[in-house]
Amino acid sequence: MILCQNVVKRYPGGQEALSQVSLRMDEGAMAYLTGHSGAGKSTLLKLISLIERPTRGRITVNGQHLNTLPRRKVPHFRRSIGIIFQDHHLLHDRTVFDNVALPLVILGYRSPEIARRVRAALDKVGLLHKERARPVTLSSGEQQRVGIARAVVHKPAVLLADEPTGNLDPDLSREIMNLFLQFNQVGVTTLIASHDLELITTLGKPILRLEAGRLVDTGAPPAPLHAGAPA
Amino acid sequence: MKPDVARKSRTRATGAPPIHSRFQAWGVNHAQALVFSLGRLYRNPFTAALTLTVIAIALALPAGLWLALKNLQAASGEWDHGAQLSVFVADSVSEDTLRVLAGRIQSMDAVESARAITREEALAEFRALSGFGEALDLLDHNPLPALVLVTPAADHQGPSRVQALSVELEALEEVTQAQVDLQWVQRLQAILEMTRRGVALVAVLLGLGVLLVVGNTIRLDILNRRREIEVAKLVGATDGFIRRPFLYGGLWLGLFGGVLALIIVGVGLALLNGPVQQLATLYGSDFRLEGPGLAGALGLLGLAVALGLGGSWIAVGRHLRDIEPR
């Protein structure tokens, strides 16, 4: 569950990235976050994943009040969420397998269990045959899928994605979005920032629209014309 | 594509493994960090060799000086106990009177033994040991005085006691001068004491240098792996997890630097031992250079490891916190 109450984020210099943003996502819900560049999509995701802290307002994720969470507890909080970035943040000196295994190594799993889970996650994103490859040898669509496998390998309750299809062509983008829909189907609360309105309006999930740091559209279902099961 | 990967998320939200497995994994993780940091040294052999050499030299220098001091002290200690007084006798004293005098001195409480050396014996000894034999032949008379060599009793070895004895001996009628052979030993001791301070100072400075070298190496390592650290923090790595490989990196630098320093010291000892023994033989001593010994070697290694860990600890504490995902 994600709950934001009157969240304000002001950067040094007075620029207000988010103004009085309130939103509520129940456990197992899925939504898209859209808006122009600089509207505050990334900022909101950073606040929810505790990469940054809000200037004012309360944020609660999985029942944890992030405002009062001390610094030393941040790692434990991060383990309950999966984060996906536009530039996928992969480590290029390690294999695909090792990249995906990182969250499990940190959690303290033993190698047979790590291998089993990593392969399951890679299988899920269709990259099991690439586990020995280095990320640089993969296409950007494949790299993004490695990033997704890493974000879900430890089975987080919340999945956050910041422009996961930013660099991909429409077919690949749809493929990636379908993956997210599948994760959501098994109960993962999923919030995806994307400016690809054309694509996300066809996916049948609520769309939250940010404009200059304000939430102007709090998740009305998409137009009936586009509603329906994902492709 | 099956959705079973994410399905279990509802039953176990954070996906943490059971406690015993985590504890075991903690140990495994330490071992991995240890091996991983070793592997990094191995993969950057040139940089590693350079850093290790700097550390080794910085450690070997004070260690070598300390050893030199230790050996000098051992050598001077040998002389210290053999403190003797040369009691010179007037040329007019006959050989018989000389022997009587030696007997009288011998009977003194403060004296362990007294040996009479006649002018001829002194000349013979001088000729044998000094190498000036031919020069002596040019002289038409024996320039050396007769003397009594006095070894103070064991409980009269202290400098003030020996001094008192020399005054007592000088008061004797036949005696022209009583010379304590101890003065230069005392001066040497004073010089050694001064040098010890100097070596301690140098050791502290060079130890600080090792700390900074390791700290800087680890700092660069941290900056080079900034991205890796950010990613690890994003997926929930604790500070401890991230710190570990860097701390172990410092430990390896210290340990290998220490081993290299011991090798340098060992080679230095081996090179010096020959000439030193030759010199000792010339002085009629069987003195030989003493190595650091097992305790000394372990001490040096322990110090090196401590400096390595300390240096990396400083760098890690200073820089890891600054790196946060953006």
Side-chain angles (χ1 to χ4, degrees):
Chain A
M1 189 197 68
I2 301 170
L3 185 64
C4 298
Q5 293 164 289
N6 304 318
V7 171
V8 175
K9 177 65 184 180
R10 192 178 290 122
Y11 285 107
Q15 176 209 356
E16 199 162 89
L18 290 175
S19 321
Q20 300 292 330
V21 170
S22 295
L23 73 86
R24 179 193 170 90
M25 286 182 72
D26 290 326
E27 192 181 328
M30 177 165 183
Y32 295 100
L33 189 62
T34 189
H36 295 294
S37 303
K41 300 189 297 283
S42 297
T43 305
L44 187 56
L45 289 183
K46 282 180 182 172
L47 294 184
I48 294 172
S49 53
L50 259 184
I51 294 173
E52 285 173 6
R53 298 213 180 230
T55 312
R56 275 204 309 277
R58 283 165 60 91
I59 301 177
T60 309
V61 178
N62 297 332
Q64 273 186 303
H65 301 296
L66 300 195
N67 301 57
T68 53
L69 200 70
R71 188 186 176 279
R72 67 190 159 79
K73 288 201 173 161
V74 169
H76 298 276
F77 165 71
R78 292 243 175 86
R79 293 171 190 183
S80 68
I81 59 177
I83 316 172
I84 293 146
F85 300 87
Q86 183 176 351
D87 68 348
H88 22 77
H89 279 52
L90 297 178
L91 299 174
H92 294 290
D93 59 344
R94 302 187 187 191
T95 62
V96 166
F97 182 97
D98 288 342
N99 266 284
V100 177
L102 188 60
L104 300 178
V105 173
I106 287 168
L107 273 167
Y109 279 100
R110 289 153 66 188
S111 0
E113 183 68 7
I114 289 176
R116 199 179 65 72
R117 288 181 184 233
V118 168
R119 296 215 170 94
L122 283 175
D123 188 32
K124 179 91 190 87
V125 299
L127 285 176
L128 191 50
H129 59 293
K130 298 271 191 184
E131 62 170 292
R132 292 280 142 233
R134 301 263 160 181
V136 275
T137 64
L138 305 181
S139 69
S140 24
E142 287 171 328
Q143 289 186 17
Q144 189 56 276
R145 283 188 281 159
V146 174
I148 293 171
R150 187 182 63 195
V152 299
V153 73
H154 58 299
K155 296 169 186 165
V158 173
L159 198 55
L160 304 171
D162 190 4
E163 298 283 4
T165 62
N167 297 325
L168 307 180
D169 64 43
D171 285 345
L172 277 173
S173 299
R174 183 168 289 278
E175 217 176 279
I176 298 284
M177 287 301 186
N178 280 334
L179 268 175
F180 287 123
L181 285 169
Q182 287 173 35
F183 290 127
N184 177 244
Q185 271 170 18
V186 295
V188 183
T189 311
T190 309
L191 180 59
I192 300 166
S194 171
H195 62 261
D196 191 354
L197 261 179
E198 210 179 314
L199 172 63
I200 59 179
T201 46
T202 66
L203 297 173
K205 293 289 179 184
I207 296 171
L208 312 167
R209 201 150 60 84
L210 276 170
E211 243 172 50
R214 288 177 187 279
L215 208 52
V216 292
D217 194 346
T218 53
L225 185 66
H226 299 294
Chain B
M1 292 188 182
K2 290 164 291 192
D4 67 327
V5 171
R7 176 160 289 144
K8 287 166 192 156
S9 65
R10 271 186 296 192
T11 52
R12 207 160 64 205
T14 55
I19 186 81
H20 65 273
S21 157
R22 260 185 291 172
F23 193 70
Q24 203 169 20
W26 182 79
V28 172
N29 182 263
H30 267 273
Q32 275 171 347
L34 205 62
V35 175
F36 178 74
S37 50
L38 187 63
R40 284 191 65 81
L41 282 184
Y42 179 75
R43 278 190 295 275
N44 303 298
F46 184 72
T47 323
L50 218 61
T51 312
L52 287 178
T53 310
V54 171
I55 294 171
I57 291 174
L59 288 171
L61 203 61
L65 286 173
W66 173 74
L67 263 185
L69 261 183
K70 206 173 105 169
N71 278 301
L72 263 177
Q73 265 174 309
S76 72
E78 211 171 274
W79 300 321
D80 203 358
H81 282 294
Q84 283 183 329
L85 289 115
S86 302
V87 179
F88 296 103
V89 178
D91 286 353
S92 55
V93 172
S94 70
E95 280 189 24
D96 289 340
T97 323
L98 182 68
R99 292 194 204 291
V100 173
L101 177 67
R104 256 164 58 210
I105 293 175
Q106 174 93 58
S107 65
M108 290 166 78
D109 277 347
V111 174
E112 166 84 28
S113 69
R115 181 162 74 91
I117 296 173
T118 63
R119 300 183 62 191
E120 282 67 37
E121 283 166 347
L123 186 65
E125 193 173 317
F126 186 75
R127 196 185 289 276
L129 291 178
S130 71
F132 290 115
E134 287 169 25
L136 284 175
D137 293 340
L138 297 176
L139 298 171
D140 48 10
H141 71 282
N142 180 359
L144 298 172
L147 71 152
V148 181
L149 256 184
V150 178
T151 306
D155 55 345
H156 279 78
Q157 289 275 0
S160 57
R161 296 270 180 95
V162 173
Q163 202 60 48
L165 179 62
S166 96
V167 170
E168 199 180 332
L169 291 172
E170 236 165 32
L172 294 173
E173 198 185 330
E174 301 90 337
V175 173
T176 55
Q177 194 192 5
Q179 191 178 315
V180 186
D181 290 343
L182 203 59
Q183 206 163 27
W184 71 274
V185 175
Q186 285 170 333
R187 283 182 191 151
L188 180 67
Q189 289 287 10
I191 291 170
L192 283 183
E193 182 55 38
M194 192 182 71
T195 317
R196 200 176 306 141
R197 288 275 167 90
V199 168
L201 199 67
V202 167
V204 167
L205 286 177
L206 288 173
L208 206 64
V210 170
L211 211 65
L212 294 180
V213 166
V214 173
N216 199 43
T217 306
I218 299 296
R219 183 183 69 91
L220 289 177
D221 201 18
I222 290 173
L223 295 183
N224 279 336
R225 292 163 68 193
R226 193 188 179 97
R227 205 181 149 74
E228 198 178 326
I229 294 169
E230 280 179 15
V231 170
K233 283 195 174 181
L234 272 178
V235 295
T238 56
D239 287 351
F241 180 90
I242 295 170
R243 197 159 42 212
R244 228 164 276 150
F246 294 108
L247 288 183
Y248 283 137
L251 183 146
W252 287 126
L253 284 180
L255 183 65
F256 290 140
V259 169
L260 204 56
L262 276 180
I263 292 174
I264 292 175
V265 169
V267 169
L269 273 179
L271 287 178
L272 282 176
N273 207 20
V276 164
Q277 260 177 298
Q278 214 169 342
L279 185 68
T281 314
L282 286 178
Y283 275 96
S285 156
D286 57 354
F287 177 78
R288 36 185 315 140
L289 278 180
E290 216 180 304
L294 186 66
L298 287 180
L300 181 64
L301 284 184
L303 187 73
V305 166
L307 286 174
L309 269 179
S312 57
W313 188 272
I314 293 169
V316 161
R318 174 101 176 61
H319 296 285
L320 271 194
R321 191 174 260 264
D322 296 345
I323 300 178
E324 281 293 337
R326 285 158 298 172

